Amino acid sequence: MLPEKMNEAMNEQVAKEFYAEYLYLSMAVEFAEKSLDGFANWFFKQAEEEHEHAMKFIEFILERGGKVVVPAIPKPNFEAKEYIDYFKAALEHEKYVTNSINGLMNLAIELKDHASKSLLQWFVDEQVEEEDSVGTIVDHLELIGDSRNGIFMLDRELGKRE
Ligand code: MG
């Protein structure tokens, strides 16, 4: 049986993962409107991943006899003028999610909830990857600066994400 405190915390995490999905979806749409289809592709894929994260928690809660609360998702809130701003906002959001996952892990340790620890270890590792991949794109955009050529090449690169 899933401890009640963990159940509640995981439901909050489900809402955060769906919010991330919406955030990346709205970023993807803005890039698609600018015909930067590679950037759009990267954010569409990122949104799909966030959906999978939410589902992973939902399936786990159900498997352990918990109660899932399907959340209302607020409208994504971000400010971006330059291309790099989108990725900086994404990186900030991933850092926020990492903190949240670490909080869940702390709770699992406190509750001696080994099954949740095992699930959460996957998310701890996943967050390392998430921050690294977004951080690399931020670095590349800093190098590219105002180069249109560079943006065009990065767009083609990000279009390859599957
Ligand atoms: Mg996530």
Side-chain angles (χ1 to χ4, degrees):
M1 189 71 189
L2 187 61
E4 211 179 308
K5 261 176 110 174
M6 182 56 79
N7 193 156
E8 273 174 31
M10 283 189 176
N11 273 321
E12 283 170 25
Q13 190 63 34
V14 166
K16 287 174 191 170
E17 302 291 349
F18 279 132
Y19 177 79
E21 179 188 5
Y22 268 40
L23 178 65
Y24 298 144
L25 183 63
S26 48
M27 290 176 172
V29 166
E30 289 193 12
F31 279 114
E33 284 167 357
K34 294 179 172 84
S35 294
L36 281 166
D37 294 340
F39 285 81
N41 172 66
W42 192 89
F43 275 109
F44 277 127
K45 295 284 149 60
Q46 191 73 4
E48 270 173 35
E49 257 192 40
E50 299 307 335
H51 185 84
E52 284 165 20
H53 291 169
M55 291 308 297
K56 239 178 155 75
F57 278 111
I58 287 176
E59 281 158 19
F60 182 82
I61 294 168
L62 292 173
E63 261 173 22
R64 297 194 60 205
K67 176 127 185 62
V68 171
V69 179
V70 177
I73 316 293
K75 189 172 162 54
N77 180 24
F78 65 97
E79 270 181 48
K81 282 187 193 156
E82 312 290 333
Y83 301 141
I84 196 170
D85 297 337
Y86 291 85
F87 292 90
K88 280 183 173 169
L91 182 57
E92 277 319 297
H93 190 73
E94 286 307 322
K95 285 180 179 170
Y96 164 75
V97 170
T98 299
N99 260 330
S100 178
I101 295 289
N102 287 341
L104 284 174
M105 182 59 112
N106 291 342
L107 181 63
I109 290 166
E110 185 193 313
L111 297 172
K112 300 186 170 65
D113 179 358
H114 297 284
S116 292
K117 270 168 63 186
S118 173
L119 175 83
L120 290 164
Q121 188 58 53
W122 184 89
F123 278 97
V124 168
D125 298 339
E126 176 71 9
Q127 283 312 116
V128 172
E129 228 180 86
E130 296 276 4
E131 285 190 31
D132 180 51
S133 67
V134 188
T136 299
I137 298 170
V138 170
D139 289 345
H140 286 177
L141 279 164
E142 254 155 22
L143 283 171
I144 286 168
D146 287 336
S147 158
R148 285 172 187 257
N149 214 357
I151 294 293
F152 187 72
M153 278 170 63
L154 183 61
D155 186 59
R156 289 183 63 171
E157 187 62 34
L158 296 181
K160 291 180 194 157
R161 180 177 180 183
E162 295 192 0

